[in-house]
Amino acid sequence: LNLVDVPGHERIRGSVVEEFSSSARGILYVVDSNTVAKQVRDVAQFLHTILANKAVNKNSPPVVVFCNKQDGGLAKTAQAIRTIMEKEIEKVRVTSSNQLEGLEGESTTTGVFLGKEGKSFEFKDLTNSVTFVEGSAADLDSLGNVKDWLVKIA
């Protein structure tokens, strides 16, 4: 099993996603449970970019969203993070759709539409299975769900 850590810098991470999107057997997306509400636009935008990638969509690898730093005092639960991510990805989806309309109504997007047309975005409507789990990278005992998932996709 090869793990690829995608860097945070936008210019670099896009090329890494493109390089590995067609061969990904799983996607582990890590969010900071303490700051996700403040950074939800960026977090949702990047996850949308990954999931809307044509190769990722065709391949449909399972996705685990790891809600990290659960030991922090301001940590949001996995369910709360799922809810705010769904709402924000809906906004991203609408914004992307509006921005990418050509002058003659033809779409110029290189990605795929996520979810179901005419319905608010929900992870359950994706072809990928998306699971949210809680833990803390600093506490190895809390990583059981992630370890089990890695074994399953290996």
Side-chain angles (χ1 to χ4, degrees), residues 53-126:
N53 176 287
K54 285 183 180 180
V56 169
N57 190 267
K58 181 181 177 188
N59 192 20
S60 270
V63 178
V64 167
V65 178
F66 179 62
C67 305
N68 192 23
K69 300 184 182 177
Q70 284 293 311
D71 50 350
L74 301 174
K76 300 267 188 238
T77 65
Q79 183 56 49
I81 292 170
R82 179 185 192 102
T83 300
I84 64 173
M85 291 286 288
E86 285 177 333
K87 288 178 182 174
E88 194 62 32
I89 288 177
E90 172 62 19
K91 292 177 190 174
V92 170
R93 186 174 73 166
V94 168
T95 303
S96 297
S97 167
N98 290 341
Q99 287 177 344
L100 295 172
E101 285 291 317
L103 290 176
E104 304 198 15
E106 294 180 24
S107 179
T108 58
T109 184
T110 57
V112 298
F113 183 83
L114 296 180
K116 293 185 178 177
E117 300 255 5
K119 182 177 182 273
S120 293
F121 176 82
E122 292 183 273
F123 286 106
K124 70 178 185 175
D125 294 330
L126 297 177

Side-chain angles (χ1 to χ4, degrees), residues 36-46 88 91-92 95:
V36 68
K38 293 177 190 169
Q39 300 172 342
V40 69
R41 180 66 179 192
D42 292 336
V43 172
Q45 177 74 50
F46 187 46
E88 194 62 32
K91 292 177 190 174
V92 170
T95 303

Side-chain angles (χ1 to χ4, degrees), residues 128-149:
N128 313 66
S129 71
V130 181
T131 307
F132 283 70
V133 299
E134 298 177 358
S136 176
D139 176 13
L140 295 180
D141 292 336
S142 74
L143 300 177
N145 287 333
V146 174
K147 289 178 190 175
D148 293 345
W149 178 76

Side-chain angles (χ1 to χ4, degrees), residues 6 12-22 46 50 53 56:
V6 177
I12 299 169
R13 68 183 181 190
S15 62
V16 173
V17 169
E18 285 300 319
E19 182 178 346
F20 294 99
S21 60
S22 63
F46 187 46
I50 293 169
N53 176 287
V56 169

